Amino acid sequence: MKIYDTTRTGKLKLSEMSKLLPVNASFLKAAMKKGSRKKLSGEDVKKVLKVYDKDGSGTIEGEELTGLVKDLLAYYCVDYDINDLEDTKLALLSSCDSNSDGRINLRELSLILNIMCDETGLES
């Protein structure tokens, strides 16, 4: 535990605990760096959706969405806690959930990932 307790509090923050669990941030990075196009292809976005859409509903919601947000925060190497995770989840839904159903569909995920490419300066 001492290895992951970077704040030396004797307790693991959510961001520290997430290092114990598999993270798909590297998958996100690989998807966004593929090829030399500025925008991600529809196939790239479908692959990302498939990773997070555990129930096969065609949308990312509930715990699936929490997993995506956790990986997005890890992708940006942000130290976060449970409040940050929930705030980011709400901000993501507020800005990208165009039909306000509380879920992220393929089109909305494409928007999120392409915004990330633009903001980070990564070529997909």
Side-chain angles (χ1 to χ4, degrees):
M1 182 165 124
K2 290 180 183 180
I3 295 171
Y4 297 101
D5 183 14
T6 58
T7 56
R8 308 278 187 252
T9 61
K11 297 178 183 175
L12 292 180
K13 291 175 37 178
L14 184 60
S15 60
E16 295 167 332
M17 189 168 37
S18 72
K19 293 175 181 148
L20 297 167
L21 304 170
V23 175
N24 287 315
S26 59
F27 176 81
L28 290 174
K29 191 172 190 177
M32 290 189 295
K33 282 192 168 186
K34 183 181 175 192
S36 60
R37 300 173 310 275
K38 183 69 178 165
K39 297 284 182 190
L40 292 172
S41 73
E43 280 304 307
D44 292 332
V45 177
K46 284 178 186 176
K47 287 177 186 175
V48 174
L49 179 69
K50 188 175 179 179
V51 167
Y52 292 98
D53 180 20
K54 302 296 184 192
D55 63 4
S57 66
T59 60
I60 301 171
E61 59 188 301
E63 288 303 311
E64 300 165 339
L65 183 57
T66 300
L68 173 64
V69 171
K70 181 182 130 216
D71 290 347
L72 292 173
L73 290 169
Y75 176 84
Y76 282 108
C77 301
V78 174
D79 194 27
Y80 61 93
D81 61 21
I82 191 74
N83 293 327
D84 297 326
L85 186 65
E86 287 303 313
D87 289 347
T88 303
K89 192 167 142 179
L90 291 173
L92 187 69
L93 287 171
S94 169
S95 61
C96 297
D97 182 16
S98 59
N99 59 1
S100 301
D101 64 355
R103 301 177 290 195
I104 300 297
N105 62 33
L106 184 65
R107 188 175 56 76
E108 294 162 345
L109 181 61
S110 179
L111 174 69
I112 293 164
L113 296 177
N114 282 302
I115 287 171
M116 283 182 65
C117 285
D118 290 344
E119 286 182 359
T120 60
L122 291 175
E123 296 271 331
S124 57

